[in-house]
Amino acid sequence: MKWAHQILAAFAVLLAAGNAGALEIKDVQKDLTRVQADQTLTKDYKFRVLSDLSVRRTWMVGDKTRVSLDFSTTTGKLVYVLVEYKKGVSPEKAEKDAARILGSASDISWNKLTKKKAEKYDVKNARAAKSNGFYLFQEMKGKKCVRLSLTAEKPETNRRTLQDASTTDQVTALGSTMGGSQAKSILQDEERRQRTPNGVTGEKKKKPAKPAVDDEPEVEKDTTPATDPEPAADDEDYEDADDATDEGAAAGFNIMDWLEEHNIDNTMLMYAGGGLLGLIVLWSIIGCARRARAKKRIHERAEALKKAAEEIAAEEEENS
């Protein structure tokens, strides 16, 4: 059993090493491209091909934060970032995350959206800003931010609600087909990209440009009291079963969390452990059998030598 403990311990170390590179907010930069994401970010994401044929990749950053990145499949550029805080964070924490992504050295000027504009952008109890060419929204629940979104172009709708692209061709009135085959091709390409291990780019990371003077966002100045009302309940608020590791990976590696993330349940673990233990027992039995056979052969040879010596002694005694 000593060997079994050593093997299991080594297995845990290997798992920990594989988890060491978990995604962090600081890994996301506004000028990140899809190819750079292939080469430099972790592969533990889930992906979707969206109705506008962009690609969305989603990572868990601990068990309290989810990060989604939308990439254009034509230009490869990052067009949308969504950071969802399961328990909510302070507006200052959300602003700090936004500044990390944008490379903004100065404070971002936030203003409360009017009800009319909030409905247009399909956000709830939101504050808005514009910085480094991106449009920013903080969705609040009470005094905490539950969603931070950054859009590269002036939004007309909320990209968070985009549906998946159909992989079935649709026949138009002119008799031509569109959409499905292209979405299927993108889906296959994205599967290939996820399976490809990270490479070394050799490219030097570009330094973020100095922030330009931002235009005032098209929002009205907040004249309401500091206490924000509670927004209506949102059925999509962070109820996914994918949430798996501690926030920012600061709590360290947890083997049970890793197993859950990779869909390894207790039954599979028991089968794997049973198989490993069975191999150990089998090698032990084979080793014991070999040692027993060797011991038997040595004993038989010793007996044969002893018998031969006795025979020789008897013959010499008769001759004398």
Side-chain angles (χ1 to χ4, degrees):
M1 296 304 294
K2 180 180 178 182
W3 284 102
H5 287 299
Q6 292 177 344
I7 292 174
L8 290 175
F11 181 65
V13 170
L14 289 174
L15 292 183
N19 194 59
L23 181 82
E24 298 181 29
I25 297 293
K26 66 181 181 180
D27 298 326
V28 181
Q29 300 293 321
K30 69 179 182 68
D31 56 353
L32 181 72
T33 67
R34 188 178 175 207
V35 171
Q36 289 170 340
D38 291 339
Q39 298 170 334
T40 62
L41 301 186
T42 60
K43 300 289 184 174
D44 56 338
Y45 58 82
K46 295 190 175 182
F47 66 85
R48 298 165 54 198
V49 178
L50 303 177
S51 57
D52 65 347
L53 299 182
S54 62
V55 169
R56 174 169 297 169
R57 299 179 182 178
T58 301
W59 289 260
M60 287 305 303
V61 181
D63 62 353
K64 299 179 179 66
T65 305
R66 183 169 58 210
V67 175
S68 298
L69 307 180
D70 288 8
F71 294 96
S72 167
T73 52
T74 54
T75 66
K77 292 182 178 180
L78 180 66
V79 296
Y80 179 69
V81 179
L82 175 65
V83 183
E84 299 173 279
Y85 306 101
K86 183 175 181 181
K87 300 297 183 181
V89 298
S90 68
E92 292 76 17
K93 169 67 167 68
E95 181 175 336
K96 186 176 181 181
D97 286 343
R100 283 175 176 165
I101 295 169
L102 297 175
S104 177
S106 58
D107 292 336
I108 301 170
S109 178
W110 297 91
N111 296 282
K112 186 174 178 64
L113 277 179
T114 62
K115 183 178 180 181
K116 183 178 180 180
K117 289 186 179 292
E119 289 175 351
K120 175 185 177 181
Y121 298 133
D122 193 18
V123 291
K124 296 179 180 179
N125 194 28
R127 302 195 306 157
K130 186 181 178 184
S131 179
N132 281 9
F134 273 70
Y135 293 83
L136 286 62
F137 294 101
Q138 277 194 42
E139 291 185 69
M140 309 296 292
K141 182 172 286 188
K143 294 184 178 181
K144 289 189 175 183
C145 174
V146 292
R147 289 193 190 95
L148 169 68
S149 57
L150 303 88
T151 308
E153 297 180 356
K154 185 177 181 179
E156 296 299 330
T157 58
N158 191 338
R159 286 191 61 88
R160 184 174 68 87
T161 61
L162 282 179
Q163 300 297 311
D164 291 350
S166 173
T167 54
T168 303
D169 284 327
Q170 299 176 358
V171 181
T172 67
L174 298 176
S176 60
T177 59
M178 59 180 295
S181 57
Q182 191 173 357
K184 189 173 181 179
S185 175
I186 294 172
L187 185 65
Q188 292 171 345
D189 179 51
E190 190 67 8
E191 290 173 344
R192 177 190 61 80
R193 288 169 181 262
Q194 189 178 41
R195 288 195 305 268
T196 304
N198 286 352
V200 179
T201 65
E203 295 180 358
K204 293 184 178 180
K205 194 170 184 180
K206 295 181 180 179
K207 295 183 179 179
K210 294 183 179 180
V213 177
D214 297 324
D215 298 330
E216 284 292 327
E218 296 182 358
V219 295
E220 293 184 13
K221 293 291 181 177
D222 187 7
T223 57
T224 59
T227 303
D228 294 325
E230 285 284 335
D234 189 340
D235 293 335
E236 295 183 10
D237 274 357
Y238 325 111
E239 294 179 356
D240 290 10
D242 314 286
D243 304 357
T245 55
D246 193 23
E247 184 173 14
F253 174 69
N254 187 314
I255 189 170
M256 298 310 298
D257 288 347
W258 187 94
L259 294 173
E260 183 179 348
E261 282 183 0
H262 291 76
N263 298 321
I264 302 176
D265 57 21
N266 291 338
T267 303
M268 295 175 63
L269 194 59
M270 289 175 62
Y271 284 148
L276 182 61
L277 187 59
L279 287 174
I280 294 171
V281 172
L282 179 62
W283 279 111
S284 298
I285 292 173
I286 292 173
C288 290
R290 287 177 176 174
R291 287 192 295 272
R293 287 197 299 269
K295 186 176 180 181
K296 183 179 179 180
R297 286 196 297 269
I298 292 172
H299 180 73
E300 288 174 349
R301 289 174 183 174
E303 289 294 325
L305 290 173
K306 181 179 178 183
K307 186 176 180 180
E310 290 176 349
E311 290 175 354
I312 293 172
E315 287 179 1
E316 289 180 349
E317 187 176 346
E318 287 178 359
N319 293 334
S320 60

